[in-house]
Amino acid sequence: MDIYMPMSTTRRHNEFISTLVSRIFPFLEKREVTVLHEERALVYWGTRKISNGFNLVDTTHIDDENNFIENILPELDYVQPDFVVFKNNPFLENIKQTKTAGQPDLIVEIWSEGNTRNDRAFLQNLYATSGITEHWYIEQDSNEVSCYYGMNRIENQYLTDILVTREGLQFDLRYLAI
């Protein structure tokens, strides 16, 4: 049986997301992490709660639709990363749990042909503003995973090996290696 996530751009993209979610499932069961993927928006600008990178944003009034459309929407910017993990860092959600604000421990983007050079540069620069966020970039036609921690590039990883975060979370994507 095939199960497709509606936001995925290709079947391979969907396989990456599904495998990432399945590999982190034991941590989810123990409630050691919170995972967001594709359909969830990660707020990166708005009414600031703390300073530094992906600031926590006051999301309490986002569900008041009239107030949101007239006052908050122009003040709120967000992205929808392919895969986000919160392990040790706090975050806030609006009441409907459709937008999340905070500094994730890990962000993974799976690049596809639809990601322009400008899109890629914008996201990499944005994710680098958080000094406590690890961010990975997977090319669909390569085994190489570009890895960063804040603004620092760290050693690349490869789909031919088990991927490991700085926090020790492991992702076995070897069957997706080409």
Side-chain angles (χ1 to χ4, degrees):
M1 171 172 56
D2 291 333
I3 299 174
Y4 296 96
M5 293 181 182
M7 296 293 289
S8 295
T9 56
T10 65
R11 183 177 188 146
R12 184 158 169 79
H13 185 275
N14 184 51
E15 288 177 323
F16 277 113
I17 299 297
S18 298
T19 304
L20 286 165
V21 171
S22 70
R23 297 307 189 249
I24 203 160
F25 191 74
F27 297 99
L28 284 168
E29 279 188 321
K30 296 176 190 170
R31 299 191 183 271
E32 294 176 8
V33 298
T34 299
V35 173
L36 311 176
H37 53 88
E38 294 192 305
E39 74 280 354
R40 295 291 301 279
L42 179 64
V43 175
Y44 66 88
W45 188 88
T47 306
R48 311 263 172 174
K49 288 286 201 182
I50 60 174
S51 60
N52 177 355
F54 278 99
N55 296 293
L56 290 177
V57 175
D58 183 356
T59 61
T60 54
H61 295 62
I62 292 175
D63 291 318
D64 176 356
E65 193 162 333
N66 292 330
N67 185 40
F68 178 70
I69 292 170
E70 293 174 17
N71 301 314
I72 296 175
L73 187 59
E75 302 282 327
L76 194 65
D77 289 326
Y78 59 89
V79 291
Q80 292 179 276
D82 292 320
F83 186 77
V84 177
V85 176
F86 287 91
K87 183 176 181 194
N88 297 320
N89 298 321
F91 63 92
L92 297 173
E93 292 180 310
N94 63 329
I95 295 168
K96 293 181 183 175
Q97 298 180 351
T98 56
K99 291 186 174 55
T100 303
Q103 298 184 38
D105 293 281
L106 175 66
I107 297 174
V108 178
E109 289 286 358
I110 294 108
W111 294 140
S112 61
E113 291 178 11
N115 297 112
T116 66
R117 186 174 288 193
N118 287 342
D119 293 340
R120 292 177 185 211
F122 170 77
L123 290 174
Q124 284 182 292
N125 288 331
L126 177 64
Y127 300 157
T129 64
S130 171
I132 59 173
T133 298
E134 188 169 352
H135 40 117
W136 294 352
Y137 305 94
I138 300 172
E139 289 282 351
Q140 292 188 49
D141 58 354
S142 168
N143 286 330
E144 191 168 22
V145 179
S146 300
C147 302
Y148 297 81
Y149 186 74
M151 292 187 172
N152 300 316
R153 184 156 191 161
I154 56 179
E155 188 176 337
N156 285 354
Q157 298 190 59
Y158 298 87
L159 295 176
T160 53
D161 302 315
I162 295 175
L163 305 177
V164 182
T165 69
R166 290 172 54 102
E167 294 282 330
L169 298 174
Q170 296 186 4
F171 299 95
D172 186 353
L173 307 180
R174 291 180 291 185
Y175 85 94
L176 293 171
I178 51 176

